[in-house]
Amino acid sequence: MNITVKYFGVLAELTQCMEETIVFTKSTVIELLEVVYQKHPTLNGKNFKVALNNELVDMGTIVSEVEVALLPPFSGG
Amino acid sequence: MNITVKYFGVLAELTQCMEETIVFTKSTVIELLEVVYQKHPTLNGKNFKVALNNELVDMGTIVSEVEVALLPPFSGG
Amino acid sequence: MKTLIRMKNNKKKSVFIDGAISSAFIADSIAKHQTKTSIGAHNIFLGQVRADEVNGKKVSAIEYTTYEEMANKKFHEIREATFEKYNLTCMHIYHSIGNVNAGEICLFVFVSATRRKEVFPAIEFVVNEIKAQVPIFGKEVFEDESHQWKSNT
Amino acid sequence: MKTLIRMKNNKKKSVFIDGAISSAFIADSIAKHQTKTSIGAHNIFLGQVRADEVNGKKVSAIEYTTYEEMANKKFHEIREATFEKYNLTCMHIYHSIGNVNAGEICLFVFVSATRRKEVFPAIEFVVNEIKAQVPIFGKEVFEDESHQWKSNT
């Protein structure tokens, strides 16, 4: 399926991309991230969390949403 | 000695007086209050504290200051 | 106006303000801190006069009086104790004297620090100390002009 | 302006404000509460951008971005949780998006209650939840236009 991957903060800076479509044939978040790392080696070793449907999820979660957000450490306030 | 007694809040209302001079020949706060109660029977049973030199004092304290303040419960803020 | 004159004469800032504390005064106080760029967090407490109902009568205003000399001493002690306990950049206290209508502001406490952790316990400490230590007396005036004396609990 | 348009379209208040939060905006928010005469205590937290020095360079501004959809959901959850935990009359949260210069205000949290005891723990809870839960990202821009990414600790 087609996944829209969104990058925020330092991640958008590193990938020079705020949003892109990735064709994804596997199932879990970690498998999606493997594709992402291959496209954007600069993300390797960076600290971030993944949100599906506006909630943080862990690496083993099945990618059921078409929109996935990669979120660096929060720094509001 | 001549003591200036100051009344605040409800006490000023009850005595109809904000400040008066009392000729005082004894020594402690409780002895001063006996004179005050005699002048102002309406103060009997009222809840208040006494300040000398801007500090609360207890009944046995020697009246060393010429200004004594009678303070009802605080209600600032 | 009395406040301004008092400030000039004493060469120190007065805590007392005649009547209600306006939102414009609060805004001005906030704006003055924008040059202090080591500050990361402000906390402001505002006391507002409630239109409490007592035996079917509504409070329309509180009239505040004070034993000013002792009050100023106590405010000074509270200031010192707060700076001793908490790592603050600055602190301001203003309290109304005279008439403050229901819905208007009678107490304005403002603390600022580099980090937010300092401001939360500091503001609570200052407000509680003011209520407990400072000889200020509030007369609650009802709509029918009768009144009762307020007491902090 | 963007904020106003968004408010009208969505028929609900937005948390996000473009650029710094002005003291006039804060004053206006305070003044609007004077008709709510069951309120006795307000507590306001303001986050201000610090001109921190890092390796001899000074922060001149923070540029905030957000994942707005998730942020709005999290703000809503924080609101619900706060009203659940504390007996508040009302609560407002505003956070800057875009550029905020050092000394300017980027976060404005406003809680009000009948009694003061409620507002102190409530304001701390809200501020800490915002910092921990809401996807907002601050880029600290230095005077020489280099930058670093901020991280809440």
Side-chain angles (χ1 to χ4, degrees):
Chain A
M1 67 174 160
N2 283 345
I3 307 282
T4 301
V5 181
K6 292 188 163 190
Y7 303 95
F8 290 92
V10 66
L11 307 181
E13 184 176 289
L14 289 167
T15 60
Q16 300 199 291
C17 171
M18 294 180 71
E19 181 173 333
E20 67 183 338
T21 303
I22 286 181
V23 180
F24 183 54
T25 53
K26 297 191 174 167
S27 77
T28 63
V29 169
I30 188 84
E31 288 165 335
L32 177 64
L33 289 185
E34 280 160 17
V35 182
V36 168
Y37 283 128
Q38 207 142 27
K39 284 197 75 169
H40 304 288
T42 50
L43 292 185
N44 255 301
K46 294 297 161 190
N47 178 19
F48 61 86
K49 290 177 175 173
V50 176
L52 257 70
N53 197 23
N54 301 320
E55 291 296 338
L56 299 182
V57 293
D58 59 33
M59 295 295 118
T61 307
I62 305 295
V63 179
S64 56
E65 300 291 323
V66 294
E67 185 177 306
V68 175
L70 270 56
L71 307 170
F74 301 168
S75 50
Chain B
M1 66 177 160
N2 284 343
I3 306 282
T4 302
V5 180
K6 292 187 163 189
Y7 302 95
F8 291 93
V10 67
L11 307 181
E13 185 176 289
L14 289 167
T15 60
Q16 299 200 290
C17 170
M18 295 180 69
E19 181 175 333
E20 67 183 337
T21 304
I22 286 182
V23 180
F24 183 54
T25 52
K26 298 193 174 167
S27 79
T28 65
V29 168
I30 189 84
E31 287 164 337
L32 178 64
L33 289 185
E34 280 161 15
V35 183
V36 168
Y37 282 128
Q38 208 141 26
K39 283 199 75 166
H40 305 288
T42 51
L43 292 185
N44 256 301
K46 293 298 162 189
N47 179 19
F48 62 85
K49 290 177 174 172
V50 176
L52 258 69
N53 197 24
N54 301 319
E55 290 296 335
L56 299 181
V57 293
D58 59 32
M59 294 295 119
T61 306
I62 304 294
V63 179
S64 56
E65 300 291 323
V66 294
E67 184 175 308
V68 174
L70 270 55
L71 307 171
F74 300 168
S75 50
Chain C
M1 287 304 97
K2 212 170 106 190
T3 309
L4 281 171
I5 293 160
R6 197 191 290 144
M7 278 172 68
K8 278 188 187 163
N9 291 351
N10 293 11
K11 297 229 160 93
K12 70 172 201 176
K13 221 168 49 173
S14 175
V15 165
F16 290 111
I17 289 188
D18 293 313
I21 299 167
S22 71
S23 54
F25 181 87
I26 297 162
D28 189 48
S29 192
I30 293 168
K32 277 181 187 150
H33 288 76
Q34 307 216 319
T35 53
K36 299 193 178 179
T37 55
S38 69
I39 292 173
H42 302 288
N43 201 335
I44 291 171
F45 178 89
L46 302 173
Q48 185 167 299
V49 173
R50 286 196 310 267
D52 279 350
E53 225 176 280
V54 183
N55 302 327
K57 294 188 297 183
K58 246 189 185 172
V59 171
S60 65
I62 296 184
E63 263 178 59
Y64 288 104
T65 51
T66 184
Y67 181 19
E68 189 165 356
E69 194 185 306
M70 179 172 167
N72 283 333
K73 187 185 179 199
K74 291 297 160 188
F75 278 125
H76 179 76
E77 287 172 6
I78 291 168
R79 244 185 106 73
E80 299 288 302
T82 309
F83 276 114
E84 186 76 27
K85 271 172 93 86
Y86 305 101
N87 193 7
L88 298 181
T89 310
C90 53
M91 170 176 168
H92 307 274
I93 302 173
Y94 299 97
H95 199 296
S96 294
I97 265 325
N99 190 81
V100 182
N101 293 327
E104 292 183 327
I105 287 160
C106 57
L107 172 62
F108 169 28
V109 181
F110 190 175
V111 300
S112 310
T114 301
R115 306 209 165 268
R116 73 182 190 279
K117 282 183 172 57
E118 297 293 325
V119 298
F120 299 120
I123 197 96
E124 188 168 2
F125 176 77
V126 175
V127 173
N128 288 339
E129 287 292 298
I130 291 169
K131 299 224 174 208
Q133 309 288 348
V134 183
I136 296 173
F137 313 102
K139 186 168 97 172
E140 293 179 317
V141 182
F142 297 103
E143 283 164 342
D144 66 358
E145 287 176 35
S146 64
H147 70 265
Q148 72 175 16
W149 291 88
K150 212 174 155 262
S151 168
N152 286 343
T153 45
Chain D
M1 289 307 99
K2 213 169 107 193
T3 309
L4 282 172
I5 292 158
R6 194 190 294 142
M7 277 173 67
K8 279 188 186 164
N9 290 349
N10 291 11
K11 299 232 158 96
K12 69 174 201 174
K13 220 168 51 175
S14 174
V15 166
F16 290 111
I17 289 188
D18 293 311
I21 299 166
S22 71
S23 53
F25 181 88
I26 297 163
D28 189 47
S29 193
I30 293 167
K32 276 181 186 150
H33 288 75
Q34 308 214 319
T35 52
K36 299 194 178 180
T37 54
S38 69
I39 292 174
H42 303 287
N43 201 336
I44 292 172
F45 178 88
L46 303 173
Q48 183 167 300
V49 173
R50 286 197 310 268
D52 279 349
E53 226 176 281
V54 183
N55 302 327
K57 294 188 299 184
K58 246 189 186 170
V59 171
S60 64
I62 296 183
E63 263 177 59
Y64 288 103
T65 51
T66 185
Y67 181 20
E68 188 164 355
E69 195 186 303
M70 179 172 167
N72 283 333
K73 187 183 178 199
K74 292 296 160 186
F75 278 124
H76 180 76
E77 288 172 8
I78 292 168
R79 246 185 103 74
E80 299 289 301
T82 309
F83 276 113
E84 187 74 26
K85 271 172 92 89
Y86 306 101
N87 193 5
L88 299 180
T89 310
C90 53
M91 168 176 167
H92 307 274
I93 303 174
Y94 300 96
H95 198 296
S96 294
I97 266 325
N99 190 82
V100 183
N101 293 327
E104 292 183 330
I105 288 160
C106 58
L107 173 61
F108 169 27
V109 181
F110 190 175
V111 300
S112 310
T114 301
R115 307 209 165 265
R116 72 183 191 280
K117 281 182 173 59
E118 296 293 323
V119 299
F120 299 120
I123 196 99
E124 189 168 2
F125 176 77
V126 175
V127 173
N128 288 339
E129 287 294 295
I130 291 170
K131 300 224 173 210
Q133 309 288 350
V134 185
I136 296 173
F137 313 101
K139 186 169 97 171
E140 293 179 317
V141 182
F142 297 104
E143 282 164 342
D144 65 359
E145 287 177 34
S146 62
H147 71 265
Q148 72 175 14
W149 290 88
K150 213 173 153 264
S151 169
N152 286 345
T153 45

